[in-house]
Amino acid sequence: MSKPVIIALDWDAFYCSVEEHFDPRLRNVAFAVRQKGIVCTCNYAARALGVKKLQSLAVALKTVSDLIVVNGEDLSRYRDASKELWMFVRKMVWGGKVERLGLDELFLDVSDMIEYNLEFLRESQYDDFFFRLSRDDETGFSCTSAAVAGLYATQNMPDLTTEDGLRLILASQLCQHVRSRIFTEKGYTSSGGISTGKVLAKMAGAVHKPNVQTVLDPVFASEFLKEKDIGCIPGIGRKYRANILNSVYGSVDDVDASVDAIIRLVDETKLIGLFGDFLGKKIYHLLHGTDTTPVNPTPDIPTQISIEDTFGSLKTLPDVRSVLHELMTLLYERMQIDLMSFGTWTAHARTIRLSLRYRAAAYGVRTSKSDAVPSVIYSAAEKEEIVRAVVNKTLMPLFHKLVAEPRFDLALLNVAVVNIEKQPAFAEITGFLGKRQRVNDETELPKRIEFETEDGDDEDDDEEGYQTCEICGQRSLRFAVEAHRRFHEPE
Ligand code: TTP
Ligand code: MG
């Protein structure tokens, strides 16, 4: 069986691109998007002047004193744009095989589109041919198998004489087409990676940025990976890197952490001994560029939406009420984004859950209680009124059921809605920008995006993949946590 063909897309300076859509004047200036004193991203004009992603704002302003700074603490417009782009791309991929990772990355499994078009390539005697985007009509684009669209990750281009190489070349043309449609119709530039697995495609896509795509033939995977630090491989990250280095060298400092060095010293059996059967094998394949984790298409609606915060110490009822008010406000806003389209609730969550962790509790131990989602949430009342009603009538009573004693000391509160069901009448929705789009009613209920496993067992991650930084308090999506941590680490 032939290998899958995967395209990874990553929006360039994503929050900046979204901000530019709201204020086109930003297109011509160097600017940064900030969250709580940190530059969470900056546009490429600012990067050219020395501003860096995840730098403290103070340092960025020292570097460029007239840097324009935009507040990016309200994530809703980024979520809206992310969802819109995802839906747009999904329509171009057969079977909607598109997985979202965080807000700004997509994985497209285009294997069957490529397989189908290989036939036409053969018919055309391996010359220019018409790539068919649909089986039913003649939509598509003219394509050549003679050259890669974009760049390649190593010195070598895919081998034109092999079917695997040809598949990747066709996929590079398809990727170019998809990216150019995203740009002309939605105004977003992206970087693309094309390979036979998600990890290789993602890593290839990061080689040349912005607005460039890169192809990596797995034949050259070991050459591509050999000098990279093992921590750079998505799915390995800081924690597993430290485990591996400690087991090999007894230290993480001043040691050779390159893939080449590690695979000489650590075989599959040793990795299984360190991490168990499943994870050990997975890490082995990650290190050898042979990971086959499939693209897991992201469904229309999430299985749950969850917001949480962590504290040094939370001891009084007024403080609890105020935190719950804040969390419920955020949760309600998230529900509106994820479960509403054009002012209509397209899905309802049936259950609301309050969870907490006592400060004295062992790491990872939470207690929870649930209740029915009160109908006021789906009413036409104002946000403030809805939030107040839910806090008073549902969340505070749940809290009292959970915490009977008058003295308490909490380290975490989490509010979540679960049991999310599509509204029966919801067969067709209207996309954000007013374009009609069909929604597949057979879509399964959502699964979580599972790709970067590094923090999967971190109980301070909430279910939606947010984590609060213990040092500065910034809440980051899970995919961004690793990068954010590096910001606090000494150079
Ligand atoms: P990235 O893809 O890492 O960054 P980017 O899209 O801004 O830039 P690039 O062109 O290099 O891809 O992250 C996507 C968005 O996620 C980014 O625009 C801002 C946000 N983000 C955070 O809020 N906190 C973080 O720690 C990181 C890394 C990203
Ligand atoms: Mg990006």
Side-chain angles (χ1 to χ4, degrees):
M1 221 179 79
S2 53
K3 293 193 179 78
V5 186
I6 311 294
I7 295 175
L9 295 178
D10 182 321
W11 314 128
D12 296 325
F14 181 52
Y15 288 9
C16 294
S17 302
V18 177
E19 294 299 340
E20 286 170 16
H21 278 74
F22 283 88
D23 186 350
R25 290 173 304 173
L26 290 168
R27 291 209 168 110
N28 306 313
V29 296
F31 77 100
V33 177
R34 72 158 177 86
Q35 283 171 349
K36 287 199 178 158
I38 287 172
V39 171
C40 65
T41 192
C42 51
N43 66 357
Y44 279 82
R47 293 182 204 190
L49 298 174
V51 180
K52 295 195 171 75
K53 286 198 280 188
L54 303 179
Q55 200 166 42
S56 90
L57 191 58
V59 173
L61 285 168
K62 264 192 203 139
T63 314
V64 179
S65 56
D66 57 350
L67 184 71
I68 309 275
V69 180
V70 176
N71 183 341
E73 277 165 24
D74 176 1
L75 300 184
S76 34
R77 55 174 60 175
Y78 312 133
R79 286 200 192 102
D80 286 349
S82 164
K83 195 164 162 186
E84 180 181 352
L85 291 169
W86 161 52
M87 288 186 164
F88 181 75
V89 171
R90 198 170 64 165
K91 281 189 285 180
M92 284 188 264
V93 178
W94 292 3
K97 288 188 204 156
V98 179
E99 176 177 342
R100 295 173 85 185
L101 179 63
L103 290 183
D104 102 324
E105 284 177 74
L106 296 178
F107 294 100
L108 290 56
D109 183 338
V110 295
S111 314
D112 42 5
M113 297 177 85
I114 298 298
E115 205 56 48
Y116 182 73
N117 278 281
L118 261 181
E119 285 303 314
F120 300 108
L121 178 65
R122 289 187 194 110
E123 273 171 25
S124 77
Q125 304 288 315
Y126 296 91
D127 215 344
D128 291 357
F129 80 110
F130 191 74
F131 190 108
R132 283 160 175 77
L133 288 168
S134 154
R135 285 193 172 106
D136 308 327
D137 59 41
E138 289 298 291
T139 59
F141 57 93
S142 294
C143 173
T144 173
S145 62
V148 164
L151 304 174
Y152 14 104
T154 62
Q155 299 292 320
N156 310 303
M157 69 178 280
D159 187 349
L160 277 165
T161 61
T162 67
E163 290 259 307
D164 277 350
L166 272 177
R167 281 190 182 86
L168 291 171
I169 288 169
L170 295 198
S172 74
Q173 312 265 348
L174 174 59
C175 181
Q176 182 91 306
H177 175 80
V178 170
R179 289 177 51 247
S180 109
R181 276 198 61 192
I182 297 165
F183 180 64
T184 47
E185 295 179 46
K186 297 288 169 189
Y188 283 81
T189 64
S190 55
S191 297
I194 304 109
S195 194
T196 49
K198 289 199 290 189
V199 172
L200 289 183
K202 180 181 160 85
M203 291 183 79
V207 175
H208 305 286
K209 292 175 86 161
N211 200 15
V212 185
Q213 61 175 61
T214 308
V215 65
L216 172 59
D217 188 326
V219 170
F220 308 117
S222 55
E223 183 192 333
F224 174 70
L225 291 172
K226 69 179 180 195
E227 279 166 21
K228 302 218 178 317
D229 188 298
I230 56 169
C232 298
I233 299 178
I236 294 190
R238 213 169 64 138
K239 199 158 71 184
Y240 299 150
R241 176 185 188 273
N243 279 357
I244 294 169
L245 296 184
N246 276 324
S247 83
V248 175
Y249 301 113
S251 162
V252 293
D253 300 318
D254 301 324
V255 294
D256 186 352
S258 67
V259 171
D260 203 28
I262 299 303
I263 59 177
R264 281 172 207 277
L265 297 165
V266 187
D267 61 8
E268 192 170 7
T269 317
K270 174 135 188 170
L271 288 166
I272 291 172
L274 274 177
F275 298 106
D277 191 59
F278 176 78
L279 208 50
K281 284 184 178 151
K282 184 168 174 70
I283 291 176
Y284 176 85
H285 286 296
L286 288 172
L287 290 171
H288 289 81
T290 49
D291 183 58
T292 52
T293 310
V295 168
N296 186 12
T298 304
D300 287 340
I301 51 169
T303 39
Q304 58 180 335
I305 307 171
S306 149
I307 303 281
E308 71 185 19
D309 212 347
T310 47
F311 326 93
S313 171
L314 185 70
K315 289 180 169 171
T316 70
L317 278 177
D319 284 350
V320 167
R321 182 183 291 277
S322 131
V323 169
L324 288 179
H325 191 279
E326 203 179 307
L327 293 179
M328 191 57 225
T329 305
L330 290 170
L331 182 66
Y332 179 69
E333 287 168 359
R334 282 295 311 278
M335 289 175 73
Q336 286 184 309
I337 288 167
D338 290 349
L339 309 184
M340 272 185 126
S341 281
F342 270 82
T344 304
W345 290 97
T346 50
H348 277 186
R350 303 283 172 207
T351 308
I352 187 162
R353 187 184 63 208
L354 176 67
S355 311
L356 56 84
R357 189 175 79 227
Y358 288 99
R359 200 150 78 94
Y363 204 64
V365 176
R366 294 180 182 199
T367 47
S368 328
K369 283 245 179 275
S370 304
D371 201 348
V373 168
S375 56
V376 66
I377 283 206
Y378 305 114
S379 73
E382 289 296 316
K383 177 168 80 180
E384 183 54 31
E385 195 184 324
I386 291 172
V387 169
R388 211 171 329 112
V390 180
V391 171
N392 290 340
K393 296 195 180 135
T394 308
L395 293 178
M396 285 309 290
L398 280 176
F399 181 81
H400 289 301
K401 278 190 203 161
L402 275 169
V403 180
E405 57 280 11
R407 294 165 79 93
F408 54 83
D409 193 358
L410 305 178
L412 174 144
L413 278 175
N414 172 302
V415 185
V417 284
V418 297
N419 281 336
I420 299 174
E421 289 168 8
K422 240 180 219 181
Q423 289 292 87
F426 165 50
E428 190 177 24
I429 60 160
T430 309
F432 307 8
L433 291 189
K435 291 198 174 157
R436 306 289 290 172
Q437 58 197 23
R438 303 278 324 165
V439 168
N440 178 7
D441 260 350
E442 275 118 45
T443 312
E444 283 177 50
L445 279 175
K447 300 176 188 99
R448 289 186 49 197
I449 297 165
E450 271 166 8
F451 179 48
E452 302 214 30
T453 54
E454 193 225 1
D455 290 303
D457 59 349
D458 187 336
E459 54 81 57
D460 275 343
D461 251 13
D462 67 29
E463 288 81 348
E464 282 299 296
Y466 284 86
Q467 191 172 346
T468 305
C469 172
E470 282 164 12
I471 300 168
C472 70
Q474 172 173 315
R475 282 165 61 71
S476 305
L477 285 157
R478 187 185 320 124
F479 72 97
V481 165
E482 186 59 30
H484 178 77
R485 271 197 199 116
R486 284 200 293 276
F487 162 72
H488 291 295
E489 283 173 357
E491 293 279 302

